Amino acid sequence: MKEFIFVSDFDGTMTAKDFYHIIMDKYLGEWGRELYASWKRNEMMDVEFLTTVFKSINRTEKEIYKDILSIKLDKSIATFIKYINNNGGDFLVLSAGTQYYIKRLLDFEGLHGVEIIANDGKYENKGITLIPPDKQHPFYSQRYGIDKAKVVQSLKQKYKKVYYAGDGGPDVSAALLADTTFAKGTLITLLQTETAKYVPFEYFFQIEEYLKSRG
């Protein structure tokens, strides 16, 4: 069994802003705001909401690539991943978004070879088609495409310790299973509701400092 793995959500956790918010703010206008409100009223599942947003971009792949590069990644993430690896751990990005933009941004930032578990995606009809796993997939979720709790459960069979970082609703079930959870944004409130333990953070250098202080 391996020593430990650090699992992190992507949008809003490793980045300053969710990619879907960037797309909505730039291209979707009032219709996008109405779509967002409908989703928040639980009138559609997360995977349906993201699929609709990403399909509606109506831009060339080159233009979308520029939008991907506008995502602001935590400046301390590269150093943090190196710290995890240098101390015998693995690092995993776990997202209910799509690998399409995650991998492109990480590659652009020089973070090649980082393991990603997320919905697949491809450029199609002037937008991004989100491709969730099929129902037989071990990590399938009807609501999110990827069930983060199932991923963490599988990792606990392979690692002595699983750390988790997240910022929102899709992270709750996984965060409750992790040995130590680092939370920001909405996840803090949700974990407080569950009376669950967590370590608050804003940037990954703070997590690194915490881990160093614990040896």
Side-chain angles (χ1 to χ4, degrees):
M1 184 174 276
K2 294 184 178 181
E3 284 300 317
F4 74 95
I5 186 168
F6 195 100
V7 182
S8 178
D9 169 54
F10 186 75
D11 291 275
T13 301
M14 292 174 63
T15 71
K17 192 174 183 179
D18 288 51
F19 185 54
Y20 75 78
H21 267 305
I22 293 173
I23 296 303
M24 282 174 38
D25 292 347
K26 191 169 183 179
Y27 299 124
L28 304 189
E30 181 59 30
W31 176 79
R33 287 187 285 274
E34 292 173 2
L35 182 73
Y36 180 82
S38 176
W39 171 50
K40 285 299 181 181
R41 291 193 298 267
N42 292 317
E43 294 171 1
M44 62 176 69
M45 289 185 285
D46 296 57
V47 70
E48 181 185 359
F49 168 72
L50 291 180
T51 295
T52 305
V53 170
F54 294 151
K55 277 188 173 181
S56 305
I57 299 174
N58 196 32
R59 291 297 184 276
T60 65
E61 189 166 24
K62 187 175 182 180
E63 288 173 309
I64 292 174
Y65 183 64
K66 287 182 179 179
D67 292 328
I68 292 169
L69 300 190
S70 75
I71 300 171
K72 293 182 179 179
L73 193 67
D74 186 330
K75 292 180 180 179
S76 59
I77 196 69
T79 302
F80 179 76
I81 294 174
K82 189 177 293 183
Y83 167 76
I84 293 297
N85 294 155
N86 287 345
N87 284 274
D90 291 330
F91 184 88
L92 169 69
V93 176
L94 178 56
S95 172
T98 169
Q99 295 200 33
Y100 182 88
Y101 60 86
I102 297 172
K103 188 174 189 311
R104 280 165 173 75
L105 180 64
L106 294 182
D107 283 346
F108 175 78
E109 296 287 350
L111 298 172
H112 306 292
V114 173
E115 185 179 0
I116 303 166
I117 295 179
N119 296 296
D120 285 334
K122 64 179 179 178
Y123 178 77
E124 187 175 57
N125 299 323
K126 303 190 79 173
I128 300 170
T129 298
L130 186 147
I131 308 169
D134 61 43
K135 293 181 179 180
Q136 284 70 47
H137 194 281
F139 303 146
Y140 170 77
S141 165
Q142 183 180 12
R143 180 174 179 179
Y144 300 116
I146 295 291
D147 188 319
K148 296 185 176 185
K150 290 178 181 177
V151 175
V152 171
Q153 283 174 334
S154 73
L155 293 172
K156 287 174 74 73
Q157 308 304 313
K158 303 173 185 176
Y159 293 88
K160 294 178 182 177
K161 197 159 192 176
V162 177
Y163 295 98
Y164 191 87
D167 78 311
D171 300 304
V172 174
S173 57
L176 293 173
L177 290 170
D179 295 291
T180 304
T181 292
F182 299 90
K184 62 191 292 191
T186 306
L187 183 58
I188 289 178
T189 305
L190 295 171
L191 291 178
Q192 287 173 343
T193 302
E194 297 282 347
T195 62
K197 292 182 179 180
Y198 66 90
V199 180
F201 81 103
E202 280 297 322
Y203 303 102
F204 275 80
F205 75 83
Q206 295 167 320
I207 301 178
E208 183 174 337
E209 290 173 354
Y210 176 90
L211 293 176
K212 284 178 178 176
S213 72
R214 298 302 188 278

